Short mmCIF file of all heavy atoms in Angstrom, two decimals:
data_model
loop_
_atom_site.label_atom_id
_atom_site.label_comp_id
_atom_site.label_asym_id
_atom_site.label_seq_id
_atom_site.Cartn_x
_atom_site.Cartn_y
_atom_site.Cartn_z
N LYS A 369 12.98 54.13 -18.44
CA LYS A 369 12.21 55.43 -18.49
C LYS A 369 12.85 56.33 -19.57
O LYS A 369 12.11 57.02 -20.32
CB LYS A 369 12.32 56.08 -17.14
CG LYS A 369 11.46 55.50 -16.06
CD LYS A 369 11.61 56.14 -14.75
CE LYS A 369 10.89 55.40 -13.65
NZ LYS A 369 11.09 55.98 -12.30
N ARG A 370 14.21 56.36 -19.66
CA ARG A 370 14.87 57.10 -20.71
C ARG A 370 14.42 56.62 -22.11
O ARG A 370 14.26 57.37 -23.02
CB ARG A 370 16.34 57.10 -20.55
CG ARG A 370 16.83 58.12 -19.66
CD ARG A 370 18.36 58.16 -19.64
NE ARG A 370 18.88 57.49 -18.48
CZ ARG A 370 19.64 56.40 -18.49
NH1 ARG A 370 20.13 55.97 -19.60
NH2 ARG A 370 19.99 55.83 -17.38
N GLN A 371 14.42 55.24 -22.27
CA GLN A 371 14.08 54.79 -23.55
C GLN A 371 12.61 55.14 -23.96
O GLN A 371 12.33 55.34 -25.14
CB GLN A 371 14.16 53.19 -23.53
CG GLN A 371 15.65 52.72 -23.50
CD GLN A 371 15.75 51.28 -23.44
OE1 GLN A 371 14.75 50.51 -23.08
NE2 GLN A 371 16.95 50.76 -23.67
N ARG A 372 11.69 55.20 -22.96
CA ARG A 372 10.33 55.59 -23.23
C ARG A 372 10.28 57.04 -23.75
O ARG A 372 9.51 57.41 -24.55
CB ARG A 372 9.44 55.40 -21.99
CG ARG A 372 8.70 54.14 -22.09
CD ARG A 372 7.60 54.06 -21.01
NE ARG A 372 8.00 52.98 -20.14
CZ ARG A 372 8.13 52.97 -18.87
NH1 ARG A 372 7.90 54.07 -18.23
NH2 ARG A 372 8.48 51.96 -18.23
N LYS A 373 11.11 57.87 -23.19
CA LYS A 373 11.22 59.22 -23.63
C LYS A 373 11.64 59.39 -25.10
O LYS A 373 11.14 60.11 -25.80
CB LYS A 373 12.11 60.04 -22.76
CG LYS A 373 11.59 60.30 -21.35
CD LYS A 373 12.58 61.13 -20.52
CE LYS A 373 12.10 61.37 -19.11
NZ LYS A 373 13.11 62.10 -18.29
N HIS A 374 12.54 58.45 -25.46
CA HIS A 374 13.06 58.50 -26.78
C HIS A 374 12.16 57.71 -27.76
O HIS A 374 12.39 57.67 -28.93
CB HIS A 374 14.50 57.94 -26.89
CG HIS A 374 15.45 58.73 -26.09
ND1 HIS A 374 15.77 60.02 -26.32
CD2 HIS A 374 16.21 58.45 -24.95
CE1 HIS A 374 16.64 60.50 -25.42
NE2 HIS A 374 16.89 59.55 -24.61
N ALA A 375 11.15 57.03 -27.29
CA ALA A 375 10.30 56.20 -28.14
C ALA A 375 9.44 57.05 -29.01
O ALA A 375 8.94 56.61 -30.00
CB ALA A 375 9.42 55.25 -27.30
N ASP A 376 9.26 58.34 -28.72
CA ASP A 376 8.40 59.20 -29.42
C ASP A 376 9.14 59.70 -30.70
O ASP A 376 8.58 60.51 -31.47
CB ASP A 376 7.96 60.44 -28.67
CG ASP A 376 7.06 60.01 -27.46
OD1 ASP A 376 6.37 58.95 -27.63
OD2 ASP A 376 7.09 60.65 -26.44
N THR A 377 10.34 59.23 -31.01
CA THR A 377 11.08 59.69 -32.14
C THR A 377 10.63 59.00 -33.44
O THR A 377 11.18 59.24 -34.47
CB THR A 377 12.58 59.48 -31.93
OG1 THR A 377 12.76 58.07 -31.80
CG2 THR A 377 13.13 60.22 -30.76
N GLY A 378 9.70 58.12 -33.41
CA GLY A 378 9.21 57.44 -34.57
C GLY A 378 9.88 56.09 -34.84
O GLY A 378 9.67 55.49 -35.94
N ALA A 379 10.63 55.55 -33.91
CA ALA A 379 11.22 54.29 -34.06
C ALA A 379 10.18 53.20 -34.10
O ALA A 379 9.20 53.27 -33.38
CB ALA A 379 12.27 54.00 -32.94
N THR A 380 10.43 52.15 -34.97
CA THR A 380 9.45 51.11 -35.10
C THR A 380 10.02 49.83 -34.55
O THR A 380 11.24 49.60 -34.55
CB THR A 380 8.98 50.88 -36.53
OG1 THR A 380 10.18 50.54 -37.28
CG2 THR A 380 8.34 52.11 -37.12
N LEU A 381 9.13 48.94 -34.02
CA LEU A 381 9.57 47.67 -33.59
C LEU A 381 9.43 46.59 -34.68
O LEU A 381 8.36 46.56 -35.28
CB LEU A 381 8.70 47.25 -32.39
CG LEU A 381 9.01 45.91 -31.71
CD1 LEU A 381 10.36 45.88 -31.04
CD2 LEU A 381 7.89 45.63 -30.69
N THR A 382 10.43 45.83 -34.89
CA THR A 382 10.39 44.81 -35.95
C THR A 382 10.36 43.41 -35.29
O THR A 382 11.25 43.15 -34.37
CB THR A 382 11.74 44.93 -36.82
OG1 THR A 382 11.75 46.25 -37.38
CG2 THR A 382 11.59 43.88 -37.93
N VAL A 383 9.43 42.60 -35.69
CA VAL A 383 9.28 41.24 -35.18
C VAL A 383 9.90 40.36 -36.21
O VAL A 383 9.43 40.33 -37.36
CB VAL A 383 7.79 40.90 -34.85
CG1 VAL A 383 7.72 39.53 -34.35
CG2 VAL A 383 7.25 41.90 -33.88
N VAL A 384 10.86 39.51 -35.75
CA VAL A 384 11.48 38.60 -36.65
C VAL A 384 10.97 37.26 -36.39
O VAL A 384 10.74 36.81 -35.25
CB VAL A 384 13.04 38.55 -36.43
CG1 VAL A 384 13.70 37.61 -37.35
CG2 VAL A 384 13.64 39.99 -36.66
N GLY A 385 10.57 36.48 -37.39
CA GLY A 385 10.08 35.20 -37.23
C GLY A 385 8.59 35.07 -36.93
O GLY A 385 8.16 34.46 -36.06
N GLU A 386 7.82 35.89 -37.72
CA GLU A 386 6.33 35.96 -37.54
C GLU A 386 5.72 34.60 -37.71
O GLU A 386 6.13 33.86 -38.55
CB GLU A 386 5.79 36.95 -38.47
CG GLU A 386 4.23 37.10 -38.37
CD GLU A 386 3.74 38.09 -39.43
OE1 GLU A 386 4.37 38.34 -40.44
OE2 GLU A 386 2.67 38.58 -39.19
N GLN A 387 4.71 34.27 -36.93
CA GLN A 387 4.03 33.01 -36.98
C GLN A 387 3.22 32.90 -38.30
O GLN A 387 2.49 33.83 -38.58
CB GLN A 387 3.11 32.83 -35.73
CG GLN A 387 2.47 31.40 -35.75
CD GLN A 387 1.71 31.19 -34.48
OE1 GLN A 387 1.80 31.97 -33.55
NE2 GLN A 387 0.96 30.12 -34.43
N ASP A 388 3.31 31.79 -38.98
CA ASP A 388 2.59 31.56 -40.25
C ASP A 388 1.36 30.75 -39.91
O ASP A 388 1.39 29.73 -39.22
CB ASP A 388 3.46 30.79 -41.17
CG ASP A 388 2.80 30.53 -42.54
OD1 ASP A 388 1.78 31.30 -42.82
OD2 ASP A 388 3.26 29.69 -43.32
N ASP A 389 0.21 31.29 -40.29
CA ASP A 389 -1.05 30.62 -39.96
C ASP A 389 -1.37 29.46 -40.93
O ASP A 389 -2.38 28.79 -40.81
CB ASP A 389 -2.20 31.65 -39.97
CG ASP A 389 -2.46 32.26 -41.35
OD1 ASP A 389 -1.85 31.94 -42.32
OD2 ASP A 389 -3.40 33.13 -41.42
N GLY A 390 -0.53 29.25 -41.98
CA GLY A 390 -0.75 28.12 -42.90
C GLY A 390 -1.59 28.57 -44.06
O GLY A 390 -1.78 27.73 -45.01
N CYS A 391 -2.10 29.73 -44.04
CA CYS A 391 -2.96 30.26 -45.16
C CYS A 391 -2.41 31.48 -45.84
O CYS A 391 -3.08 32.27 -46.46
CB CYS A 391 -4.39 30.49 -44.62
SG CYS A 391 -5.24 29.08 -44.04
N GLY A 392 -1.04 31.56 -45.68
CA GLY A 392 -0.46 32.72 -46.28
C GLY A 392 -0.57 34.06 -45.60
O GLY A 392 -0.32 35.10 -46.13
N ASN A 393 -1.05 34.06 -44.36
CA ASN A 393 -1.27 35.25 -43.56
C ASN A 393 -1.97 36.36 -44.35
O ASN A 393 -1.61 37.51 -44.37
CB ASN A 393 0.08 35.79 -43.03
CG ASN A 393 0.78 34.90 -42.03
OD1 ASN A 393 0.10 34.06 -41.37
ND2 ASN A 393 2.00 35.16 -41.85
N LEU A 394 -3.04 35.93 -45.02
CA LEU A 394 -3.91 36.84 -45.72
C LEU A 394 -4.67 37.85 -44.88
O LEU A 394 -4.95 38.91 -45.38
CB LEU A 394 -4.92 36.03 -46.64
CG LEU A 394 -4.29 35.19 -47.80
CD1 LEU A 394 -5.41 34.37 -48.49
CD2 LEU A 394 -3.55 35.99 -48.75
N LEU A 395 -4.96 37.43 -43.72
CA LEU A 395 -5.72 38.25 -42.81
C LEU A 395 -4.86 38.75 -41.65
O LEU A 395 -4.02 37.90 -41.11
CB LEU A 395 -6.92 37.53 -42.19
CG LEU A 395 -8.04 37.12 -43.17
CD1 LEU A 395 -9.05 36.22 -42.48
CD2 LEU A 395 -8.67 38.40 -43.75
N THR A 396 -4.99 39.95 -41.18
CA THR A 396 -4.34 40.40 -39.98
C THR A 396 -5.01 39.77 -38.82
O THR A 396 -6.20 39.38 -38.93
CB THR A 396 -4.24 41.91 -39.91
OG1 THR A 396 -5.63 42.33 -39.76
CG2 THR A 396 -3.55 42.54 -41.03
N GLN A 397 -4.43 39.76 -37.65
CA GLN A 397 -5.08 39.26 -36.48
C GLN A 397 -6.38 40.01 -36.15
O GLN A 397 -7.40 39.52 -35.73
CB GLN A 397 -4.18 39.23 -35.28
CG GLN A 397 -3.04 38.21 -35.32
CD GLN A 397 -3.60 36.82 -35.48
OE1 GLN A 397 -4.56 36.45 -34.79
NE2 GLN A 397 -3.01 35.93 -36.24
N GLN A 398 -6.33 41.39 -36.31
CA GLN A 398 -7.48 42.18 -36.14
C GLN A 398 -8.66 41.84 -37.06
O GLN A 398 -9.80 41.76 -36.67
CB GLN A 398 -7.15 43.73 -36.22
CG GLN A 398 -6.25 44.20 -35.11
CD GLN A 398 -4.74 44.00 -35.49
OE1 GLN A 398 -4.40 43.51 -36.50
NE2 GLN A 398 -3.91 44.37 -34.52
N ALA A 399 -8.27 41.72 -38.36
CA ALA A 399 -9.33 41.33 -39.32
C ALA A 399 -9.92 39.95 -39.12
O ALA A 399 -11.09 39.75 -39.21
CB ALA A 399 -8.76 41.41 -40.77
N ARG A 400 -9.07 39.01 -38.69
CA ARG A 400 -9.49 37.63 -38.38
C ARG A 400 -10.46 37.68 -37.10
O ARG A 400 -11.51 37.13 -37.21
CB ARG A 400 -8.28 36.81 -38.04
CG ARG A 400 -8.65 35.34 -37.74
CD ARG A 400 -7.33 34.59 -37.42
NE ARG A 400 -6.27 34.74 -38.38
CZ ARG A 400 -6.17 34.07 -39.54
NH1 ARG A 400 -7.05 33.19 -39.88
NH2 ARG A 400 -5.15 34.28 -40.41
N ARG A 401 -10.09 38.42 -36.14
CA ARG A 401 -10.92 38.53 -34.92
C ARG A 401 -12.28 39.23 -35.19
O ARG A 401 -13.32 38.70 -34.75
CB ARG A 401 -10.16 39.35 -33.90
CG ARG A 401 -11.00 39.63 -32.66
CD ARG A 401 -10.95 38.45 -31.66
NE ARG A 401 -11.69 38.81 -30.52
CZ ARG A 401 -12.58 38.05 -29.85
NH1 ARG A 401 -12.81 36.84 -30.37
NH2 ARG A 401 -13.22 38.43 -28.82
N LYS A 402 -12.28 40.26 -36.07
CA LYS A 402 -13.47 40.88 -36.38
C LYS A 402 -14.44 39.99 -37.25
O LYS A 402 -15.59 40.02 -36.96
CB LYS A 402 -13.17 42.17 -37.20
CG LYS A 402 -14.37 42.94 -37.61
CD LYS A 402 -14.00 44.21 -38.41
CE LYS A 402 -15.24 45.00 -38.78
NZ LYS A 402 -14.99 46.13 -39.64
N ALA A 403 -13.82 39.23 -38.14
CA ALA A 403 -14.63 38.34 -38.97
C ALA A 403 -15.24 37.25 -38.08
O ALA A 403 -16.44 36.90 -38.26
CB ALA A 403 -13.78 37.69 -40.04
N ILE A 404 -14.50 36.71 -37.07
CA ILE A 404 -15.09 35.71 -36.17
C ILE A 404 -16.16 36.29 -35.44
O ILE A 404 -17.25 35.66 -35.29
CB ILE A 404 -13.95 35.09 -35.37
CG1 ILE A 404 -12.96 34.29 -36.19
CG2 ILE A 404 -14.51 34.25 -34.23
CD1 ILE A 404 -11.73 33.77 -35.49
N VAL A 405 -15.94 37.44 -34.79
CA VAL A 405 -16.99 38.04 -33.94
C VAL A 405 -18.23 38.38 -34.71
O VAL A 405 -19.44 38.14 -34.25
CB VAL A 405 -16.46 39.32 -33.26
CG1 VAL A 405 -17.56 40.13 -32.55
CG2 VAL A 405 -15.37 38.91 -32.25
N GLU A 406 -18.10 38.87 -35.97
CA GLU A 406 -19.25 39.19 -36.81
C GLU A 406 -19.76 38.05 -37.71
O GLU A 406 -20.63 38.21 -38.50
CB GLU A 406 -18.84 40.42 -37.71
CG GLU A 406 -18.60 41.58 -36.90
CD GLU A 406 -18.13 42.79 -37.79
OE1 GLU A 406 -17.98 42.65 -39.04
OE2 GLU A 406 -17.92 43.88 -37.24
N GLN A 407 -19.23 36.84 -37.43
CA GLN A 407 -19.68 35.61 -38.07
C GLN A 407 -19.58 35.75 -39.59
O GLN A 407 -20.50 35.36 -40.31
CB GLN A 407 -21.11 35.24 -37.64
CG GLN A 407 -21.16 34.85 -36.16
CD GLN A 407 -22.57 34.48 -35.78
OE1 GLN A 407 -23.60 34.78 -36.38
NE2 GLN A 407 -22.60 33.65 -34.67
#
Side-chain angles (χ1 to χ4, degrees):
K369 289 178 186 175
R370 271 188 262 122
Q371 287 177 348
R372 262 191 244 128
K373 287 181 185 176
H374 298 299
D376 296 332
T377 61
T380 59
L381 178 67
T382 304
V383 177
V384 178
E386 180 181 21
Q387 184 174 350
D388 183 16
D389 65 1
C391 296
N393 291 343
L394 296 176
L395 293 174
T396 63
Q397 289 299 324
Q398 291 86 2
R400 182 181 310 277
R401 174 81 176 137
K402 182 179 179 186
I404 290 171
V405 169
E406 295 177 358
Q407 296 182 335

